Amino acid sequence: MSPFALDGRTALVTGARDGIGRATALALAGAGADLVLWGHHDNLDETVAQIEARGAKVRTVAADLADPATIRPAARRVLADGEIHVLVNHAGIIRRGPALETPDDDWSDVLQVNLSSVFLLSKLFGGPMCERGSGKIINVASMLSFQGGINVASYAVSKHAVAGLTRALANEWAPLGVNVNAVAPGYVATGNTAALRANPVREAEIRGRIPAGRWAVPDEIAGAVVFLASPAADYVHGHVLAVDGGWLAR
């Protein structure tokens, strides 16, 4: 069997409606995993159809990561239906604006979805993994896990913290057989970056700083997630894998 095969495993992916999340779910299915898709709304039909077309089993759970009260009961429902072997904490939001003008609610919302929910889901699904002695958790970090950015203070803080949380959990859970790692995407052509790519000045500035000379496509991030989810990464713990076209090397 290939060291990248995920046959017999079930992976849960948050934020799989489109973009990197959908590409990740499809790549995991292509590697042999069955899927659980966690979404804010019941709007995952297209992703479900594409997963089923690959021959994988898939089920969905609708729960708002911005509302902590909904997370625990939704996780209990998922676990009642079977074990989760791989958790991909992909869902995230961003609020742009100068720090001096950032509303308290925007700050709180970003930290809840991007950080607090990641910690809670990691506990809820990581607990059974630790008891079982195996499991993979892959968080989605960012270039702003390494840099400060401009007009995205809450997002940068949340993604710095995700990198720290990844390392902290790895230190605790690696002895128990659970791998906790993260992927840090560079600039990716998705709906979230459409406004940047539509701005000819900013697009040229960004692309000009990327040694690869282009934006990534979601499938290129998904491949790194499959690696970290697979037996090939059994000795990888606490790593934040930049998939950035060389951005951080520049």
Side-chain angles (χ1 to χ4, degrees):
M1 182 178 292
S2 165
F4 300 98
L6 295 172
D7 299 84
R9 294 171 173 82
T10 298
L12 187 153
V13 181
T14 67
R17 180 182 62 180
D18 53 20
I20 295 171
R22 176 184 288 177
T24 294
L26 294 175
L28 291 167
D34 293 325
L35 272 296
V36 177
L37 307 180
W38 184 302
H40 181 186
H41 301 292
D42 189 14
N43 55 5
L44 296 163
D45 290 350
E46 179 60 30
T47 306
V48 167
Q50 292 188 35
I51 290 171
E52 290 178 336
R54 285 161 169 75
K57 298 177 183 176
V58 58
R59 61 187 194 272
T60 64
V61 56
D64 187 359
L65 295 178
D67 181 2
T70 70
I71 296 175
R72 290 182 186 275
R76 284 195 294 267
R77 292 196 301 273
V78 171
L79 290 169
D81 288 336
E83 293 179 338
I84 296 298
H85 306 95
V86 177
L87 169 65
V88 182
N89 286 307
H90 165 262
I93 61 174
I94 189 168
R95 298 286 185 266
R96 300 181 185 276
L100 290 174
E101 300 172 13
T102 298
D104 292 347
D105 286 349
D106 280 4
W107 176 271
S108 299
D109 289 347
V110 171
L111 269 291
Q112 167 57 37
V113 174
N114 292 9
L115 176 60
S116 295
S117 75
V118 171
F119 180 52
L120 182 53
L121 288 174
S122 295
K123 287 202 301 181
L124 294 172
F125 292 103
M129 292 179 186
C130 290
E131 292 175 4
R132 196 168 60 237
S134 65
K136 302 291 179 75
I137 297 176
I138 300 101
N139 298 321
V140 176
S142 168
M143 292 296 94
L144 294 183
S145 297
F146 307 95
Q147 300 170 319
I150 300 172
N151 292 332
V152 286
S154 58
Y155 186 82
V157 166
S158 72
K159 292 301 184 179
H160 271 73
V162 164
L165 177 63
T166 298
R167 298 181 180 110
L169 294 182
N171 287 339
E172 293 189 35
W173 295 352
L176 303 177
V178 177
N179 300 71
V180 186
N181 294 289
V183 168
Y187 283 87
V188 185
T190 67
N192 286 343
T193 60
L196 279 177
R197 289 182 287 115
N199 182 323
V201 175
R202 285 292 290 130
E203 194 281 334
E205 290 174 346
I206 291 168
R207 182 164 37 82
R209 190 190 185 285
I210 302 170
R214 63 177 178 84
W215 295 59
V217 297
D219 287 347
E220 292 173 311
I221 312 303
V225 177
V226 171
F227 162 64
L228 291 174
S230 75
D234 280 351
Y235 199 61
V236 181
H237 292 275
H239 185 63
V240 181
L241 175 58
V243 186
D244 64 350
W247 176 273
L248 292 176
R250 176 61 57 88

